[in-house]
Amino acid sequence: MPDPLTRYRSADEDSIRWRDFPLRPGDIVISTRSKSGTTWMQMICALLVLRTPDLPAPLTTLSPWLDWLVEPADQVYARLAAQRHRRFIKTHTPLDGVPADPRVHYLVVARHPLDMAVSLHHQSGNLDRARLAELTGHPGPPDPDRRRPSVEEALVRWIDADPDPREELDSLPGVLWHLRDAWARRDQPNVHLIHYDDLRADLAGQMRRLAEMLDLEPPGPDLVEAATFDRMRSRADRLAPDPAGVLKDRQAFFRTGRSGQGSALLSAADRARYHARAAALAPPDLLAWLHQGR
């Protein structure tokens, strides 16, 4: 029989790891695109599950990135098997690449794609490419002295690029591929879509909503405060997703988290071209929710 799961691979990820991973009732799978609120949602889940702002271990230990090739699969499986609290697991794999289990909750965090692309550009400049190549066994950057494009140049190129979405999930087609699949599942009782801008606008309310969806106790003010962007940046040594030392600056991982920065960098013509491309890649109701009137 053909495999029911789509396989997604990149230089440092392989979703095939999900096929052999034994899920438990109550597991929480956090499925996002890069720079769309992954670490934020991991922290929120850690606070709601563990009920303390003083986490007992670094966030990457508590919530491993299951499909990251830097850490051997057996080690990730063993670490998760040893956890006795309710597990919350990170992935950048779309839901069609993850086993569907009615006993498991799936959280998909969405961010305005232009804001995501700006953050992704800055994140790219914060990666130690030589270290990442060493860890994954791939060649290092071919021309480390090549001038990086400005954020404005990179954003325009990102809008115009047209790769296979399954091969470049952080492209515009890839982002909308991921979200389109989740949007089609949104009526399933264990699939929950959360918007990044809603977290920014009402963190306490969104944390209460999540607690109710996950059948957890609502958070007190101390837990909400621990999930604020400024508080997380101040604890970057424990919260940044950098167990293997691939970030040049952990605090820079939590750069600003602002919304609207992508649109502000574009000309009116470039914004119109972005909206035309997005309209060709996703249904109007998804885009209306995703763009939040912007």
Side-chain angles (χ1 to χ4, degrees):
M1 292 180 62
D3 195 312
L5 298 181
T6 302
R7 185 177 184 182
Y8 295 94
R9 285 182 284 185
S10 70
D12 58 344
E13 299 169 79
D14 191 341
S15 68
I16 199 171
R17 291 182 172 205
W18 281 103
R19 295 176 185 171
D20 298 321
F21 177 66
L23 289 160
R24 287 181 192 163
D27 277 346
I28 302 166
V29 175
I30 301 166
S31 166
T32 65
R33 291 282 13 100
S34 307
K35 305 307 292 182
S36 293
T38 315
T39 304
W40 201 0
M41 185 53 60
Q42 289 174 279
M43 182 60 171
I44 289 170
C45 288
L47 294 165
L48 292 176
V49 169
L50 301 173
R51 313 305 302 174
T52 175
D54 299 314
L55 301 184
L59 188 57
T60 54
T61 299
L62 296 168
S63 180
W65 181 1
L66 192 138
D67 23 29
W68 197 37
L69 297 175
V70 167
E71 186 174 6
D74 289 347
Q75 291 182 20
V76 181
Y77 295 164
R79 184 143 48 92
L80 284 164
Q83 290 184 350
R84 293 295 170 257
H85 60 74
R86 190 168 173 184
R87 303 185 303 186
F88 42 101
I89 306 158
K90 166 184 172 177
T91 184
H92 287 314
T93 298
L95 294 186
D96 66 347
V98 178
D101 188 323
R103 307 170 303 164
V104 172
H105 285 271
Y106 301 88
L107 306 182
V108 179
V109 187
R111 188 181 185 188
H112 194 298
L114 293 176
D115 292 336
M116 187 219 85
V118 171
S119 290
L120 198 64
H121 173 77
H122 291 293
Q123 170 72 355
S124 176
N126 193 34
L127 291 176
D128 184 337
R129 299 283 179 183
R131 173 63 174 158
L132 193 56
E134 173 191 344
L135 291 166
T136 58
H138 292 279
D143 185 6
D145 297 323
R146 184 176 61 184
R147 184 188 77 86
R148 289 188 78 225
S150 69
V151 63
E152 293 86 354
E153 291 169 334
L155 194 55
V156 169
R157 293 179 189 177
W158 185 83
I159 292 169
D160 291 337
D162 192 27
D164 183 330
R166 294 161 295 186
E167 296 179 2
E168 293 189 32
L169 282 166
D170 286 334
S171 65
L172 177 57
V175 170
L176 294 176
W177 174 281
H178 190 147
L179 294 179
R180 194 170 65 237
D181 174 74
W183 188 254
R185 303 169 189 259
R186 68 190 185 282
D187 291 332
Q188 297 177 20
N190 62 332
V191 175
H192 314 291
L193 275 72
I194 303 98
H195 200 295
Y196 184 99
D197 287 356
D198 292 337
L199 292 173
R200 284 188 55 85
D202 182 14
L203 180 59
Q206 288 296 304
M207 287 179 69
R208 288 192 296 270
R209 172 176 172 257
L210 276 165
E212 182 177 359
M213 290 190 301
L214 299 172
D215 197 24
L216 294 167
E217 291 296 317
D222 59 331
L223 299 185
V224 175
E225 170 61 25
T228 61
F229 204 81
D230 288 344
R231 181 74 180 276
M232 289 182 65
R233 185 191 293 112
S234 73
R235 302 177 65 195
D237 59 326
R238 298 273 290 178
L239 302 182
D242 191 33
V246 299
L247 296 179
K248 297 175 184 176
D249 181 343
R250 290 186 176 183
Q251 277 204 326
F253 177 82
F254 301 99
R255 193 178 62 89
T256 65
R258 289 187 293 110
S259 296
Q261 54 188 330
S263 294
L265 290 169
L266 295 175
S267 68
D270 288 332
R271 283 195 296 273
R273 194 164 69 259
Y274 161 75
H275 283 290
R277 287 223 65 211
L281 294 166
D285 54 350
L286 167 57
L287 293 177
W289 175 78
L290 182 60
H291 291 151
Q292 300 273 293
R294 288 193 278 124

